[in-house]
Amino acid sequence: MSEETLERGESFVTESLTNWTPRFVANGIDYNDMARLETAIDDWSEWLGAFQRVGREYETLGDEARDRGDEESAGDHYTRAAMYYHFGSHVWHEDDDRSRDVHADAVDVFRRGAELLEPTFERIEAPYDAGGFDVPANLRTPVGSEGAPLVVLIPGLDSIKEELSTYAAEFHDRGLATVAVDGAGQGETWHEQGMTPEYPALVGSVLDELERRDPDSVDTSRIGIYGVSLGGFYAPYVAANEDRIDACVGISGPFTVGPVSTRGGGLLAEQFAWACKTDSLIEVDEITEQLTLSRDIENLTVPTLVATGANDVIIHPRQSERIARRAPNGEFLLYDEGNHVCNNIPHKYRPRTADWLRAHLE
């Protein structure tokens, strides 16, 4: 364990919980559980275990509801349990084997829950021939909306496709299908491919698979893409390199990802190193400096909305604004009270951006 890790005691945990509470609550963690977690965690080494224990409580509730035949309640409990497993493991690298096991639990229990809920759920495993592996994705199509436009959902640096279910609900309410993707360096795909500038090709493989499987289930002639945080970079990056994308929304994404070394150390640098599958910040910089829209922005010709918060301390708002100002058909939406990904005001930006994307796909 590093000296830096040893210094991550109670104050570090409290600060982390405070900083992440808006995101956690916006994406499925019960606010009342946050107080329990803060009391239960005295040191960073205890973080995963504490979240895992609460996740197991919800998973047990799901088992009990399923045994009673109450499938909707079981689905709700299971999908909530997945968020505790995810947020316990998402940046916790004290024991990577244990962290990966808990992430796998998040994927499994989310699938079990989503299969019991509406809209319908289907796991996609799209062959990515260039890498010799399959790209996993979660497809959900609202009942009675066959042939609906499709929204591709892209997670951020420490996010996974399962975390995007709360975003997906906004689109399902508007009659749009969603497919949430673990791209390069994210979620399940991390096991096969670290962070790479070939990210658009992996998303393209998912679209290829959807076109092959059942072209009538969703309308692949009307496709939007929506990404948050680092996904707010990936979404326009994919849209600039994938001709099938018709409209794009990016939330709090950077125009250029690297170099990471200029941002100092800590959890952010650790997570980039993990995503890049290297211990060297020099190698991280060599990868992330290739992740820029400077060479592709003129190709981002589809309608593009970029939104962020003025109080974003992770990605400077000017980085996000630069995407909108440089894109040929870009729009910029700034929330003065918003933080990173505007997680403190999801009731404001999520409906508005979902409405915008629906309007551009109709």
Side-chain angles (χ1 to χ4, degrees):
M1 186 180 298
S2 69
E3 181 178 352
E4 183 180 17
T5 301
L6 289 170
E7 294 174 353
R8 293 177 182 172
E10 185 173 2
S11 62
F12 179 84
V13 168
T14 300
E15 181 181 0
S16 297
L17 286 170
T18 299
N19 290 339
W20 279 327
T21 288
R23 173 184 173 187
F24 290 177
V25 173
N27 293 319
I29 298 295
D30 190 289
Y31 183 80
N32 297 292
D33 289 331
M34 298 305 298
R36 283 205 293 154
L37 287 163
E38 185 168 353
T39 300
I41 307 171
D42 294 322
D43 185 85
W44 183 244
S45 63
E46 301 170 351
W47 179 278
L48 182 143
F51 274 82
Q52 186 181 30
R53 284 191 294 275
V54 180
R56 283 173 176 162
E57 292 176 13
Y58 284 103
E59 187 172 0
T60 298
L61 289 173
D63 292 341
E64 293 170 349
R66 182 198 57 203
D67 290 344
R68 295 193 305 267
D70 297 329
E71 292 191 348
E72 185 175 53
S73 293
D76 288 338
H77 290 314
Y78 286 147
T79 54
R80 187 180 293 272
M83 292 303 96
Y84 290 85
Y85 294 152
H86 163 50
F87 286 124
S89 61
H90 77 310
V91 295
W92 194 82
H93 301 296
E94 300 272 298
D95 181 338
D96 278 343
D97 288 339
R98 184 180 173 198
S99 181
R100 286 194 289 270
D101 286 344
V102 175
H103 165 252
D105 289 341
V107 172
D108 176 68
V109 75
F110 180 88
R111 175 189 55 78
R112 287 191 280 135
E115 288 176 345
L116 300 174
L117 298 173
E118 298 293 350
T120 56
F121 168 89
E122 183 179 2
R123 178 179 169 88
I124 302 296
E125 295 182 355
Y128 177 54
D129 293 338
F133 60 87
D134 293 342
V135 179
N138 294 337
L139 175 67
R140 304 191 75 174
T141 306
V143 175
S145 298
E146 286 192 7
L150 177 68
V151 178
V152 181
L153 299 175
I154 304 295
L157 174 65
D158 56 31
S159 185
I160 59 176
K161 60 188 182 303
E162 287 74 20
E163 186 184 342
L164 300 177
S165 62
T166 53
Y167 294 90
E170 297 283 353
F171 296 107
H172 302 156
D173 290 344
R174 290 159 176 78
L176 306 179
T178 60
V179 62
V181 179
D182 277 340
Q186 297 170 322
E188 293 179 86
T189 302
W190 177 91
H191 297 286
E192 306 291 346
Q193 175 67 67
M195 189 177 287
T196 173
E198 300 304 315
Y199 195 101
L202 279 75
V203 175
S205 71
V206 174
L207 300 182
D208 292 342
E209 180 66 11
L210 291 176
E211 290 176 342
R212 283 193 298 266
R213 289 168 68 91
D214 185 0
D216 296 326
S217 65
V218 295
D219 186 352
T220 54
S221 71
R222 294 182 292 167
I223 301 177
I225 192 166
Y226 189 106
V228 297
S229 192
L230 185 59
F233 163 81
Y234 284 135
Y237 185 49
V238 172
N241 289 278
E242 170 56 68
D243 292 340
R244 287 172 288 188
I245 303 298
D246 299 298
C248 173
V249 175
I251 311 296
S252 294
F255 186 91
T256 297
V257 177
V260 172
S261 59
T262 60
R263 305 184 195 181
L267 282 177
L268 184 64
E270 284 183 11
Q271 193 62 20
F272 267 106
W274 182 87
C276 292
K277 305 183 82 163
T278 178
D279 293 327
S280 167
L281 272 183
I282 293 175
E283 293 180 6
V284 169
D285 283 348
E286 289 174 349
I287 294 169
T288 58
E289 286 172 354
Q290 297 179 67
L291 296 173
T292 177
L293 287 166
S294 60
R295 296 180 297 272
D296 302 290
I297 195 68
E298 297 302 323
N299 296 325
L300 184 59
T301 57
V302 300
T304 298
L305 175 64
V306 178
T308 194
N311 299 316
D312 190 338
V313 297
I314 306 297
I315 302 296
H316 197 287
R318 289 177 184 169
Q319 277 278 307
S320 300
E321 182 178 9
R322 186 180 175 191
I323 300 174
R325 302 304 182 206
R326 289 284 308 280
N329 291 296
E331 300 177 36
F332 184 58
L333 180 58
L334 180 69
Y335 287 93
D336 289 338
E337 71 275 43
N339 61 9
H340 184 55
V341 192
C342 295
N343 280 318
N344 59 328
I345 50 168
H347 60 288
K348 290 187 177 182
Y349 90 90
R350 288 187 182 180
R352 183 168 176 181
T353 54
D355 288 339
W356 184 95
L357 196 51
R358 175 180 61 177
H360 284 82
L361 294 178
E362 288 180 338

